[in-house]
């Protein structure tokens, strides 16, 4: 990735400059099949992983060498609306756009991906996604979590190929594509050699339609290992939460500490549950990847348990909040929010919260079959309650701020959202990218504080 810095002499601020070229390329994903045509950033899928220090500003120039329009969205970032990847703000083939990011969020795992109107699912399935990590040296040194080679991003995916080795076409799908091939960082069912010590994994679900429910199994003893969840979509949680199963819906990020000590010379399998929401299972969709534990540790630096309390943060201040209800449903073969598809330009701005205000949003899914991971651009929110369906807020959700909340079949999820830091028009949508492309997306307009 091209990387240069330039000095803005008026403010004496350094802004890091990067360039991402969208190109198609061929990769040998399967040993026995033909090569697969993919789309990538700088010839890679997933694209290059950014690690940016909090507060260091960046500009990313995205050059579109593909024959279809593209849009870049930095998911979870505090970004001004003009650079937030509005779905109709297309980079046409042969053009480029410069995106500016202040990187003012607290330390967290963001990801960048395509957001082009009606073809997000096609571009995403073809490979246009990557990690963008905001680091905060001060906070992270204090927490002493595993770092460097012990801090590993894992992008989960679920793909489907033709017998010739190409990806199946997404273009004709109107509801979901689950895929029978589970991939991590672009490789089907990979293995990772690890040392018998603690690791920090940043788990992200980049699949179109498949939600994962993960656990780690020691094949020889049948024992399930604890996952210590330390961070969510919105960075460090207020407390470490230990769990044995972790639900990761599309676009969600969960960071876990896994301790491989005591498992010297063994193989552990990252497993996926069957029958998760509407996901359709295939022969090996219950397997994700394998960890091959070595016999010895080469470094004990930051080989610590996470502290039980991580970061403190303000909870929404008491007050009378505006309540809004949004119903995610299917109407006349279109996926809609409160009956409004994204194509309904006149009516698609569904809310105008004041900048800085906290509101209570009730997200409803009355359907008894479909699930919808709902993402609201720019903001962090707290999940307050979930009724019907699973009827519970998971222990790790309670300790987290989020930018995605998954609505299982029939579920209603109530969230407290603070609309900050910027004014402007932003999208919210289902992150089943096929539902999103078929109009389950609308907008809200953050308005000036009324004096
Ligand atoms: Cu992950 Cu609107 O995006
Ligand atoms: Cu959906």
């Amino acid at each position: 990735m091209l990387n240069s810095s330039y000095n803005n002499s008026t403010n004496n601020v350094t802004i890091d400059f990067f360039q991402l070229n969208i190109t198609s390329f061929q990769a040998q994903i399967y040993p026995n099949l033909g090569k697969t045509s993919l789309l990538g950033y700088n010839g890679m899928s997933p694209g290059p992983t950014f690690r940016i220090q909090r507060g260091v500003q960046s500009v990313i120039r995205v050059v579109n060498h593909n024959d279809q329009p593209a849009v870049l969205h930095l998911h979870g970032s505090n970004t001004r609306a003009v650079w937030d990847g509005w779905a109709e703000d297309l980079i046409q083939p042969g053009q480029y756009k410069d995106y500016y990011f202040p990187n003012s969020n607290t330390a967290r795992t963001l990801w960048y991906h395509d957001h082009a109107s009606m073809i997000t699912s096609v571009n995403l399935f073809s490979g246009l996604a990557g990690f963008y990590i905001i680091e905060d040296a001060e906070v992270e040194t204090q927490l002493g979590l595993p770092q460097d080679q012990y801090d590993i991003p894992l992008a989960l995916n679920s793909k489907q190929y033709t017998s010739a080795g190409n990806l199946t076409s997404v273009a004709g799908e109107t509801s979901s594509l689950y895929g029978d091939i589970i991939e991590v960082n672009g490789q089907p069912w990979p293995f990772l050699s690890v040392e018998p010590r603690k690791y920090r994994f940043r788990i992200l679900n980049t699949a179109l339609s498949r939600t994962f429910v993960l656990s780690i199994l020691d094949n020889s003893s049948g024992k399930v290992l604890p996952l210590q969840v330390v961070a969510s979509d919105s960075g460090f949680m207020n407390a470490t939460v230990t769990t044995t199963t972790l639900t990761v819906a599309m676009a969600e990020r969960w960071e876990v500490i896994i301790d491989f000590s005591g498992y010297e010379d063994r193989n552990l399998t990252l497993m996926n549950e069957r029958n998760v929401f509407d996901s359709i299972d295939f022969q090996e969709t219950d397997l994700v990847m394998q960890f091959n534990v070595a016999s010895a540790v080469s470094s004990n630096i930051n080989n610590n348990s996470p502290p039980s309390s991580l970061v403190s943060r303000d909870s929404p201040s008491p007050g009378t909040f505006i309540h809004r209800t949004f119903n995610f449903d299917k109407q006349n073969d279109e996926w809609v929010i409160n009956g409004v598809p994204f194509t309904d330009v006149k009516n698609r701005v569904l809310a105008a919260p004041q900048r800085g205000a906290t509101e209570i949003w009730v997200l409803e899914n009355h359907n008894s079959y479909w699930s919808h991971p709902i993402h609201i651009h720019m903001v962090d929110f707290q999940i307050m309650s979930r009724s019907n369906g699973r009827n519970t807020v998971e222990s790790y959700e309670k300790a987290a701020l989020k930018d995605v909340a998954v609505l299982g079949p029939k579920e209603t999820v109530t969230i407290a959202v603070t609309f900050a830091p910027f004014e402007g028009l932003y999208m919210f949508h289902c992150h089943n990218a096929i539902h999103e492309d078929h109009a389950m997306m609308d907008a809200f307009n953050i308005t000036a504080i009324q004096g």
Side-chain angles (χ1 to χ4, degrees):
M1 139 175 64
L2 197 92
N3 178 5
S4 62
S5 286
Y6 59 87
N7 210 272
N8 175 335
S9 57
T10 21
N11 302 315
N12 201 25
V13 179
T14 299
I15 301 178
D16 283 334
F17 178 78
F18 303 94
Q19 184 165 325
L20 290 176
N21 298 306
I22 298 175
T23 55
S24 60
F25 68 103
Q26 304 250 308
Q28 187 72 51
I29 306 290
Y30 278 92
N32 303 324
L33 297 182
K35 288 195 173 174
T36 305
S37 289
L38 295 170
L39 280 181
Y41 296 107
N42 297 353
M44 299 165 67
S45 175
T49 294
F50 291 80
R51 285 185 183 262
I52 308 267
Q53 273 300 315
R54 181 180 187 196
V56 176
Q57 303 164 62
S58 61
V59 166
I60 300 184
R61 172 166 299 177
V62 181
V63 189
N64 184 8
H65 296 286
N66 188 32
D67 57 5
Q68 293 296 316
V71 168
L72 186 85
H73 171 55
L74 181 54
H75 179 128
S77 163
N78 287 342
T79 307
R80 294 259 181 202
V82 282
W83 298 295
D84 193 51
W86 182 262
E88 292 155 335
D89 183 14
L90 303 169
I91 312 170
Q92 294 296 347
Q95 298 187 342
Y96 72 83
K97 174 167 172 151
D98 289 346
Y99 294 80
Y100 163 78
F101 303 111
N103 301 312
S104 56
N105 291 96
T106 52
R108 64 185 62 191
T109 303
L110 306 177
W111 64 301
Y112 59 100
H113 63 77
D114 193 79
H115 218 304
S117 182
M118 327 274 270
I119 56 166
T120 294
S121 55
V122 176
N123 286 347
L124 184 61
F125 196 61
S126 304
L128 293 183
F131 280 100
Y132 189 103
I133 295 167
I134 296 185
E135 299 185 320
D136 185 334
E138 209 176 305
V139 174
E140 295 182 77
T141 312
Q142 218 166 49
L143 294 175
L145 302 177
Q147 60 184 43
D148 303 322
Q149 72 267 42
Y150 306 113
D151 167 1
I152 300 178
L154 300 174
L156 311 189
N157 211 331
S158 187
K159 295 248 186 139
Q160 191 170 309
Y161 295 84
T162 66
S163 52
N166 267 315
L167 288 167
T168 54
S169 164
V170 184
E173 296 291 342
T174 56
S175 69
S176 286
L177 192 151
Y178 300 104
D180 56 339
I181 309 295
I182 305 299
E183 296 183 358
V184 181
N185 296 348
Q187 299 300 314
W189 296 289
F191 66 85
L192 178 70
S193 301
V194 294
E195 297 175 9
R197 55 156 286 157
K198 295 187 183 69
Y199 279 76
R200 173 180 183 181
F201 292 105
R202 302 171 187 258
I203 301 171
L204 157 70
N205 181 351
T206 64
L208 294 184
S209 306
R210 181 182 295 285
T211 293
F212 291 87
V213 178
L214 302 173
S215 58
I216 297 199
L217 176 71
D218 171 21
N219 300 325
S220 46
S221 68
K223 204 182 142 209
V224 172
L225 279 72
L227 303 165
Q228 292 188 290
V229 190
V230 293
S232 64
D233 310 336
S234 308
F236 290 115
M237 292 156 31
N238 52 22
T240 300
V241 175
T242 304
T243 182
T244 49
T245 62
L246 179 68
T247 299
V248 190
M250 292 79 87
E252 281 192 294
R253 288 87 71 211
W254 291 106
E255 298 183 32
V256 297
I257 306 295
I258 299 176
D259 188 358
F260 296 110
S261 67
Y263 295 93
E264 287 77 359
D265 300 312
R266 297 214 212 159
N267 297 331
L268 308 177
T269 307
L270 186 61
M271 306 286 299
N272 178 30
E273 266 178 25
R274 291 193 175 275
N275 304 313
V276 176
F277 303 148
D278 45 298
S279 297
I280 291 172
D281 292 308
F282 298 89
Q283 198 176 343
E284 290 180 335
T285 48
D286 57 339
L287 304 175
V288 179
M289 65 179 288
Q290 198 170 78
F291 298 103
N292 303 139
V293 188
S295 48
V297 170
S298 67
S299 163
N300 269 311
I301 292 177
N302 282 347
N303 190 9
N304 307 313
S305 289
S308 55
S309 91
L310 295 162
V311 295
S312 58
R313 55 158 193 264
D314 310 335
S315 32
S317 56
T320 322
F321 298 126
I322 290 178
H323 280 59
R324 302 181 203 266
T325 301
F326 300 98
N327 179 28
F328 295 82
D329 211 346
K330 195 174 195 174
Q331 251 172 37
N332 314 320
D333 277 339
E334 234 176 1
W335 301 95
V336 289
I337 309 173
N338 285 356
V340 181
F342 191 66
T343 44
D344 183 350
V345 176
K346 282 214 177 83
N347 295 308
R348 69 186 177 189
V349 181
L350 298 188
Q354 248 186 59
R355 183 166 69 84
T358 297
E359 297 192 353
I360 303 296
W361 282 22
V362 182
L363 312 175
E364 299 177 340
N365 173 18
H366 297 303
N367 194 281
S368 59
Y369 181 77
W370 297 104
S371 62
H372 306 290
I374 305 307
H375 170 47
I376 308 176
H377 279 220
M378 188 158 78
V379 301
D380 294 335
F381 56 77
Q382 174 84 53
I383 298 179
M384 312 293 284
S385 67
R386 181 183 279 111
S387 54
N388 307 318
R390 288 171 292 164
N391 215 355
T392 182
V393 180
E394 307 289 351
S395 54
Y396 43 87
E397 288 177 321
K398 285 183 189 151
L401 290 180
K402 303 277 297 145
D403 61 37
V404 180
V406 60
L407 310 183
K410 289 193 190 138
E411 288 176 2
T412 292
V413 170
T414 301
I415 60 176
V417 199
T418 303
F419 292 89
F422 302 125
E423 291 162 22
L425 195 61
Y426 291 89
M427 300 173 290
F428 70 115
H429 58 90
C430 177
H431 222 295
N432 175 330
I434 297 176
H435 294 184
E436 172 185 341
D437 280 345
H438 292 84
M440 195 176 257
M441 177 157 77
D442 282 308
F444 57 99
N445 191 4
I446 305 180
T447 56
I449 297 170
Q450 260 106 72

